[in-house]
Amino acid sequence: MKKTMTIIFAALLLAGCGALMNPVHVENDIVMKTKRVLYETSFYTNDRYEPSYSQTITMVKETNNDNKTTYSIYDVITLPSESFEIDENKLYLIIDEEIIPFPTVFKREYNSRKISEKKEDVMKSDSTKISVVTGYDVVNKKNIQMTHILSEDIISKISTASAVYLRYYVGASYINTEIKGGKLANVKKLISE
């Protein structure tokens, strides 16, 4: 009996982990009457010559009651505040070796500030320690939000690609976001849902 309970518990645990580890999420939007498939992933500086950045993209596939499907990418890039602007006229998708302009239908930029305290432990005269604020760290960031609509032709190329890159020009530098391996497999899973 104990062995059976252990096997059942292990099976439930594995099933639960599988549900948690599936990054492609399917939902029915009753308000918009669409089936939505979402995949969100993050990227960070990956090349020595790239500007320091972090990026989160959320890919959304929406299918309405008439079976019309649209694909969108919601793109948030965070750069140091002193960075140049992303050149909207120089955004590209590189699917395997093919270079395709990457249209943006929405762009918004704003600055954010994160303030954190620096603390040190100080010994009091009675030999007890207290934590004292000794200063502040201030980090200013530039945040860029963009929305990209993907055509059926682009989706068709991505579904058979071995690597996809998003290329953004930022002043004299560029950001090269690499979608490959498991991330590309998840994008393909979203497309096939």
Side-chain angles (χ1 to χ4, degrees), residues 134-163:
T134 58
Y136 296 92
D137 280 330
V138 179
V139 178
N140 293 309
K141 296 283 186 180
K142 183 185 297 187
N143 302 285
I144 300 102
Q145 296 175 325
M146 294 179 282
T147 304
H148 315 279
I149 305 298
L150 303 179
S151 68
E152 285 294 328
D153 184 46
I154 289 173
I155 292 299
S156 175
K157 290 175 182 177
I158 290 173
S159 66
T160 60
S162 57

CSV table of all heavy atoms in Angstrom, one decimal, residues 134-163:
chain,number,residue,atom,x,y,z
A,134,THR,N,23.8,54.0,5.2
A,134,THR,CA,25.0,54.8,5.0
A,134,THR,C,24.9,55.5,3.7
A,134,THR,O,25.8,56.3,3.3
A,134,THR,CB,26.2,53.9,5.0
A,134,THR,OG1,26.1,52.9,4.0
A,134,THR,CG2,26.4,53.3,6.4
A,135,GLY,N,23.9,55.3,2.9
A,135,GLY,CA,23.8,55.9,1.6
A,135,GLY,C,22.7,55.3,0.7
A,135,GLY,O,22.0,54.4,1.2
A,136,TYR,N,22.6,55.8,-0.5
A,136,TYR,CA,21.6,55.3,-1.4
A,136,TYR,C,22.2,55.0,-2.8
A,136,TYR,O,23.2,55.7,-3.2
A,136,TYR,CB,20.5,56.3,-1.6
A,136,TYR,CG,19.7,56.5,-0.3
A,136,TYR,CD1,20.1,57.6,0.5
A,136,TYR,CD2,18.6,55.7,0.0
A,136,TYR,CE1,19.4,57.8,1.7
A,136,TYR,CE2,17.9,56.0,1.2
A,136,TYR,CZ,18.3,57.0,2.0
A,136,TYR,OH,17.6,57.2,3.2
A,137,ASP,N,21.8,53.9,-3.4
A,137,ASP,CA,22.1,53.7,-4.8
A,137,ASP,C,20.9,54.0,-5.7
A,137,ASP,O,19.8,53.6,-5.4
A,137,ASP,CB,22.4,52.2,-5.1
A,137,ASP,CG,23.8,51.8,-4.6
A,137,ASP,OD1,24.7,52.6,-4.7
A,137,ASP,OD2,24.0,50.6,-4.2
A,138,VAL,N,21.2,54.8,-6.7
A,138,VAL,CA,20.1,55.2,-7.6
A,138,VAL,C,20.5,54.7,-9.0
A,138,VAL,O,21.5,55.0,-9.5
A,138,VAL,CB,20.0,56.8,-7.7
A,138,VAL,CG1,18.9,57.2,-8.7
A,138,VAL,CG2,19.7,57.3,-6.3
A,139,VAL,N,19.5,53.9,-9.6
A,139,VAL,CA,19.7,53.4,-10.9
A,139,VAL,C,18.6,53.9,-11.8
A,139,VAL,O,17.4,53.7,-11.6
A,139,VAL,CB,19.7,51.8,-10.9
A,139,VAL,CG1,19.9,51.3,-12.3
A,139,VAL,CG2,20.8,51.3,-10.0
A,140,ASN,N,19.0,54.6,-12.9
A,140,ASN,CA,18.0,55.1,-13.8
A,140,ASN,C,18.1,54.3,-15.1
A,140,ASN,O,19.1,53.9,-15.6
A,140,ASN,CB,18.4,56.6,-14.2
A,140,ASN,CG,18.2,57.5,-13.1
A,140,ASN,OD1,17.2,57.5,-12.4
A,140,ASN,ND2,19.2,58.3,-12.8
A,141,LYS,N,16.9,53.9,-15.6
A,141,LYS,CA,16.8,53.1,-16.8
A,141,LYS,C,15.9,53.7,-17.8
A,141,LYS,O,15.0,54.5,-17.4
A,141,LYS,CB,16.2,51.7,-16.4
A,141,LYS,CG,17.1,50.9,-15.5
A,141,LYS,CD,18.3,50.3,-16.2
A,141,LYS,CE,19.1,49.3,-15.3
A,141,LYS,NZ,20.2,48.8,-16.0
A,142,LYS,N,16.1,53.3,-19.1
A,142,LYS,CA,15.2,53.7,-20.1
A,142,LYS,C,14.4,52.5,-20.5
A,142,LYS,O,15.0,51.5,-20.8
A,142,LYS,CB,16.1,54.3,-21.3
A,142,LYS,CG,15.3,54.8,-22.5
A,142,LYS,CD,16.2,55.1,-23.6
A,142,LYS,CE,17.1,56.3,-23.3
A,142,LYS,NZ,17.9,56.8,-24.4
A,143,ASN,N,13.1,52.6,-20.6
A,143,ASN,CA,12.2,51.5,-20.9
A,143,ASN,C,11.5,51.8,-22.2
A,143,ASN,O,10.9,52.9,-22.4
A,143,ASN,CB,11.2,51.3,-19.8
A,143,ASN,CG,11.9,51.0,-18.5
A,143,ASN,OD1,12.4,50.0,-18.3
A,143,ASN,ND2,11.9,52.0,-17.6
A,144,ILE,N,11.6,50.9,-23.2
A,144,ILE,CA,10.9,51.0,-24.4
A,144,ILE,C,9.9,49.9,-24.6
A,144,ILE,O,10.3,48.7,-24.5
A,144,ILE,CB,11.9,51.0,-25.6
A,144,ILE,CG1,13.0,52.1,-25.5
A,144,ILE,CG2,11.2,51.1,-27.0
A,144,ILE,CD1,14.3,51.6,-24.9
A,145,GLN,N,8.7,50.3,-24.9
A,145,GLN,CA,7.6,49.3,-25.1
A,145,GLN,C,7.3,49.4,-26.6
A,145,GLN,O,7.1,50.5,-27.1
A,145,GLN,CB,6.4,49.6,-24.3
A,145,GLN,CG,6.5,49.5,-22.8
A,145,GLN,CD,5.3,49.9,-22.1
A,145,GLN,OE1,4.6,50.8,-22.5
A,145,GLN,NE2,5.0,49.3,-21.0
A,146,MET,N,7.2,48.2,-27.3
A,146,MET,CA,6.8,48.2,-28.7
A,146,MET,C,5.9,47.0,-28.9
A,146,MET,O,5.9,46.0,-28.2
A,146,MET,CB,8.1,48.0,-29.6
A,146,MET,CG,9.1,49.1,-29.5
A,146,MET,SD,10.5,48.9,-30.6
A,146,MET,CE,11.5,47.8,-29.5
A,147,THR,N,5.1,47.2,-30.0
A,147,THR,CA,4.2,46.1,-30.4
A,147,THR,C,4.5,45.9,-31.9
A,147,THR,O,4.6,46.8,-32.7
A,147,THR,CB,2.7,46.5,-30.2
A,147,THR,OG1,2.5,46.8,-28.9
A,147,THR,CG2,1.8,45.3,-30.6
A,148,HIS,N,4.7,44.6,-32.2
A,148,HIS,CA,4.9,44.2,-33.6
A,148,HIS,C,3.8,43.2,-34.0
A,148,HIS,O,3.5,42.3,-33.3
A,148,HIS,CB,6.3,43.5,-33.7
A,148,HIS,CG,7.4,44.2,-33.0
A,148,HIS,ND1,8.1,45.3,-33.5
A,148,HIS,CD2,7.9,43.9,-31.7
A,148,HIS,CE1,9.0,45.7,-32.6
A,148,HIS,NE2,8.9,44.9,-31.5
A,149,ILE,N,3.3,43.4,-35.2
A,149,ILE,CA,2.3,42.4,-35.8
A,149,ILE,C,3.1,41.6,-36.8
A,149,ILE,O,3.8,42.1,-37.7
A,149,ILE,CB,1.2,43.2,-36.5
A,149,ILE,CG1,0.5,44.2,-35.5
A,149,ILE,CG2,0.2,42.2,-37.0
A,149,ILE,CD1,-0.1,43.5,-34.3
A,150,LEU,N,2.9,40.3,-36.7
A,150,LEU,CA,3.6,39.4,-37.6
A,150,LEU,C,2.7,38.9,-38.7
A,150,LEU,O,1.6,38.4,-38.4
A,150,LEU,CB,4.2,38.2,-36.9
A,150,LEU,CG,5.2,38.5,-35.7
A,150,LEU,CD1,5.6,37.3,-35.0
A,150,LEU,CD2,6.3,39.3,-36.2
A,151,SER,N,3.1,38.9,-40.0
A,151,SER,CA,2.3,38.4,-41.1
A,151,SER,C,2.3,36.9,-41.1
A,151,SER,O,3.2,36.2,-40.5
A,151,SER,CB,2.9,39.0,-42.4
A,151,SER,OG,4.2,38.4,-42.7
A,152,GLU,N,1.4,36.4,-41.9
A,152,GLU,CA,1.4,34.9,-42.1
A,152,GLU,C,2.7,34.4,-42.8
A,152,GLU,O,3.1,33.3,-42.4
A,152,GLU,CB,0.2,34.5,-43.0
A,152,GLU,CG,-1.2,34.6,-42.2
A,152,GLU,CD,-1.3,33.6,-41.1
A,152,GLU,OE1,-0.7,32.5,-41.2
A,152,GLU,OE2,-1.9,33.9,-40.1
A,153,ASP,N,3.2,35.2,-43.7
A,153,ASP,CA,4.5,34.8,-44.3
A,153,ASP,C,5.6,34.7,-43.3
A,153,ASP,O,6.4,33.7,-43.3
A,153,ASP,CB,4.8,35.9,-45.4
A,153,ASP,CG,6.1,35.5,-46.2
A,153,ASP,OD1,6.2,34.3,-46.6
A,153,ASP,OD2,7.0,36.4,-46.4
A,154,ILE,N,5.7,35.6,-42.4
A,154,ILE,CA,6.8,35.6,-41.3
A,154,ILE,C,6.5,34.4,-40.4
A,154,ILE,O,7.4,33.6,-40.1
A,154,ILE,CB,6.8,36.9,-40.5
A,154,ILE,CG1,7.4,38.0,-41.4
A,154,ILE,CG2,7.6,36.7,-39.3
A,154,ILE,CD1,7.3,39.4,-40.8
A,155,ILE,N,5.3,34.1,-40.1
A,155,ILE,CA,4.9,33.0,-39.2
A,155,ILE,C,5.3,31.7,-39.9
A,155,ILE,O,5.9,30.8,-39.3
A,155,ILE,CB,3.4,33.0,-38.8
A,155,ILE,CG1,3.2,34.2,-37.9
A,155,ILE,CG2,3.0,31.7,-38.2
A,155,ILE,CD1,3.9,34.2,-36.6
A,156,SER,N,5.0,31.6,-41.2
A,156,SER,CA,5.4,30.4,-41.9
A,156,SER,C,6.9,30.1,-41.9
A,156,SER,O,7.3,29.0,-41.7
A,156,SER,CB,4.9,30.5,-43.4
A,156,SER,OG,5.3,29.5,-44.1
A,157,LYS,N,7.7,31.2,-42.1
A,157,LYS,CA,9.1,31.1,-42.1
A,157,LYS,C,9.6,30.7,-40.7
A,157,LYS,O,10.6,29.9,-40.5
A,157,LYS,CB,9.8,32.4,-42.6
A,157,LYS,CG,9.5,32.6,-44.0
A,157,LYS,CD,10.1,33.9,-44.5
A,157,LYS,CE,9.7,34.1,-46.0
A,157,LYS,NZ,10.1,35.3,-46.5
A,158,ILE,N,9.1,31.3,-39.6
A,158,ILE,CA,9.5,31.0,-38.3
A,158,ILE,C,9.2,29.5,-37.9
A,158,ILE,O,10.0,28.9,-37.3
A,158,ILE,CB,8.8,31.9,-37.2
A,158,ILE,CG1,9.4,33.4,-37.4
A,158,ILE,CG2,9.0,31.4,-35.8
A,158,ILE,CD1,8.6,34.4,-36.5
A,159,SER,N,8.1,29.0,-38.4
A,159,SER,CA,7.7,27.6,-38.1
A,159,SER,C,8.6,26.6,-38.6
A,159,SER,O,8.6,25.4,-38.1
A,159,SER,CB,6.2,27.4,-38.5
A,159,SER,OG,6.2,27.4,-39.9
A,160,THR,N,9.5,26.9,-39.6
A,160,THR,CA,10.5,26.0,-40.1
A,160,THR,C,11.9,26.4,-39.8
A,160,THR,O,12.8,25.8,-40.3
A,160,THR,CB,10.3,25.8,-41.6
A,160,THR,OG1,10.4,27.0,-42.3
A,160,THR,CG2,8.9,25.2,-41.9
A,161,ALA,N,12.1,27.5,-39.1
A,161,ALA,CA,13.4,28.0,-38.9
A,161,ALA,C,14.2,27.3,-37.9
A,161,ALA,O,13.7,26.6,-37.0
A,161,ALA,CB,13.3,29.5,-38.5
A,162,SER,N,15.6,27.4,-38.0
A,162,SER,CA,16.4,26.8,-37.0
A,162,SER,C,16.9,27.8,-36.0
A,162,SER,O,17.4,27.5,-34.9
A,162,SER,CB,17.6,26.0,-37.6
A,162,SER,OG,18.3,26.9,-38.5
A,163,ALA,N,16.8,29.1,-36.4
A,163,ALA,CA,17.2,30.2,-35.5
A,163,ALA,C,16.5,31.5,-36.0
A,163,ALA,O,16.3,31.7,-37.2
A,163,ALA,CB,18.7,30.4,-35.5
